[in-house]
Amino acid sequence: MGSEMCIRDRLETRLADRIGVEHAVACGSGTAAQQIALMALGIGPGDEVIVPGFTFVATISSVVYARATPVLAEVDATFNLDPADVEARITPRTRAIVAVHMLGAAARIEELQAVAERHGLALIEDAAQAFGARSGEAVVGSLGDTGCFSFYPAKVLGCYGDGGLVTTSDEGIYEELQQLRNHGAIAAFTHTQIGYNSRLDAVQAALLGIKLKKIEQDLSLRQQVADWYDERLEETDALPPARPDHGRHAFNLYTIRHPRRNALRQALGDAKIGTNQCYPQGLHLQQVYSHLGYQPGDLPVTDQLCTETLSLPIFPGMTEQQVETVCSIIRKA
């Protein structure tokens, strides 16, 4: 048990230093990271939390797990939260905003910080898809009250199972996070609240520590692949992903927009090239959340993105010839 804690502690220290925060708390998954972050901030029944309609379901389900009410807001053409729409949805019950750094690109975090400060709200960064991304010179995960990361194998920094991380520079939040991930314990067999069994195991921590050594190389390689795509897609009517004016896109995914997305995906599939739709339906229209009362047209930008977005293959070892193969099919289609 002692050696396992030591391995995890070392990883947490390295990650906190890299992200630029005082504390990092490793846990069992990215979903667990968001849930315990919300709970450490005191969010629960009767509270509202604003989240984007265009994101992975874990963003909203974490709010539900915390027994709070999700309020879905619109995104802009960069796939990230629209700060003006967020502000329009604030009510007296609103307690927090979850800023998702979608697909590897930083959200408009300075504007969202300003909204949160004006209304006295907590700001949670969902950086599950954006390890290594930057907003200006700041690393995502260092700009909110908490930052939440996923180490699922498909992420920029992934382990070989599930894993997650919460970052913060607030000492009180840090103490709450440590307890919540470990059965609510303040010491061995001493419990002050109901917590969870959500500790990152030593094997995953060790693997992440090894992969962290080459993360900058991996990010540079992803950037190179994205550059190749951008150059070749200029010859098509596909719209490449927007890049931040100041900062760094982590390119966890390379997601284009195209008005004939389904035909394009079929052509690539026929050529045995894998793609993904992130996401084919906004959270506001998912059956499981129909009780929230959203209708088609309530989030028109989200609705449009769900019909146009397509994620193309991208990984650090991808070659220029492989990119050319993908793009040649897009040109023909």
Side-chain angles (χ1 to χ4, degrees):
M1 184 66 161
S3 62
E4 178 175 342
M5 291 178 63
C6 187
I7 293 169
R8 189 177 64 225
D9 290 348
R10 286 199 297 269
L11 176 67
E12 289 175 339
T13 298
R14 290 176 63 192
L15 288 168
D17 289 345
R18 178 176 188 85
I19 294 166
V21 293
E22 292 295 323
H23 305 291
V25 177
C27 57
S29 69
T31 306
Q34 292 189 58
Q35 183 181 355
I36 65 173
L38 287 161
M39 297 182 70
L41 289 163
I43 292 167
D47 297 331
E48 292 179 350
V49 178
I50 298 176
V51 302
F54 188 78
T55 183
F56 184 57
V57 70
T59 307
I60 186 172
S61 58
S62 301
V63 176
V64 175
Y65 294 154
R67 298 182 294 165
T69 301
V71 174
L72 301 178
E74 187 63 286
V75 297
D76 59 23
T78 70
F79 313 142
N80 283 308
L81 269 176
D82 180 342
D85 193 68
V86 168
E87 191 152 28
R89 295 177 188 272
I90 292 172
T91 75
R93 296 174 58 191
T94 306
R95 289 285 310 283
I97 301 167
V98 179
V100 181
H101 302 299
M102 278 298 299
L103 311 178
R108 292 158 63 181
I109 198 71
E110 291 183 0
E111 295 173 71
L112 292 169
Q113 283 175 321
V115 172
E117 289 173 5
R118 277 197 297 273
H119 297 274
L121 307 177
L123 181 61
I124 299 167
E125 293 179 80
D126 178 346
Q129 300 180 359
F131 189 92
R134 293 188 186 130
S135 176
E137 293 300 315
V139 179
V140 300
S142 67
L143 298 160
D145 295 282
T146 61
C148 303
F149 295 85
S150 169
F151 298 135
Y152 184 74
K155 305 302 185 187
V156 173
L157 177 64
C159 53
Y160 292 166
D162 267 315
L165 186 80
V166 188
T167 55
T168 186
S169 290
D170 184 290
E171 194 69 30
I173 294 173
Y174 172 59
E175 292 175 1
E176 283 290 304
L177 291 168
Q178 286 185 303
Q179 294 173 35
L180 285 165
R181 73 165 172 191
N182 186 30
H183 299 285
I186 58 170
F189 310 113
T190 306
H191 310 270
T192 59
Q193 59 183 306
I194 297 173
Y196 302 90
N197 179 15
S198 187
R199 300 177 298 270
L200 183 70
D201 70 69
V203 172
Q204 304 302 340
L207 288 167
L208 287 167
I210 293 169
K211 295 180 77 173
L212 188 59
K213 295 177 182 178
K214 61 187 288 289
I215 190 63
E216 280 300 323
Q217 177 184 346
D218 286 349
L219 286 163
S220 295
L221 290 171
R222 285 178 178 274
Q223 182 73 56
Q224 177 63 79
V225 174
D227 290 344
W228 289 332
Y229 269 129
D230 282 1
E231 179 183 349
R232 286 162 174 78
L233 289 175
E234 288 181 358
E235 306 168 26
T236 75
D237 55 352
L239 186 65
R243 302 194 185 207
D245 294 331
H246 306 285
R248 177 170 69 177
H249 200 308
F251 286 108
N252 184 75
L253 294 171
Y254 187 92
T255 302
I256 64 172
R257 294 178 61 184
H258 196 281
R260 299 181 302 283
R261 186 269 313 281
N262 293 342
L264 190 60
R265 190 180 195 200
Q266 182 66 51
L268 289 163
D270 290 345
K272 309 300 182 186
I273 294 173
T275 59
N276 204 353
Q277 293 175 247
C278 297
Y279 300 92
Q281 187 177 49
L283 293 180
H284 62 301
L285 300 181
Q286 294 281 348
Q287 181 180 349
V288 67
Y289 292 117
S290 60
H291 64 281
L292 296 175
Y294 294 92
Q295 301 296 324
D298 287 346
L299 300 177
V301 176
T302 294
D303 290 341
Q304 182 176 2
L305 290 176
C306 288
T307 68
E308 294 182 350
T309 48
L310 185 67
S311 296
L312 303 178
I314 187 168
F315 52 94
M318 193 171 184
T319 67
E320 187 171 8
Q321 182 55 54
Q322 288 173 321
V323 173
E324 173 58 32
T325 299
V326 175
C327 292
S328 67
I329 295 166
I330 293 174
R331 287 193 293 269
K332 293 175 185 176

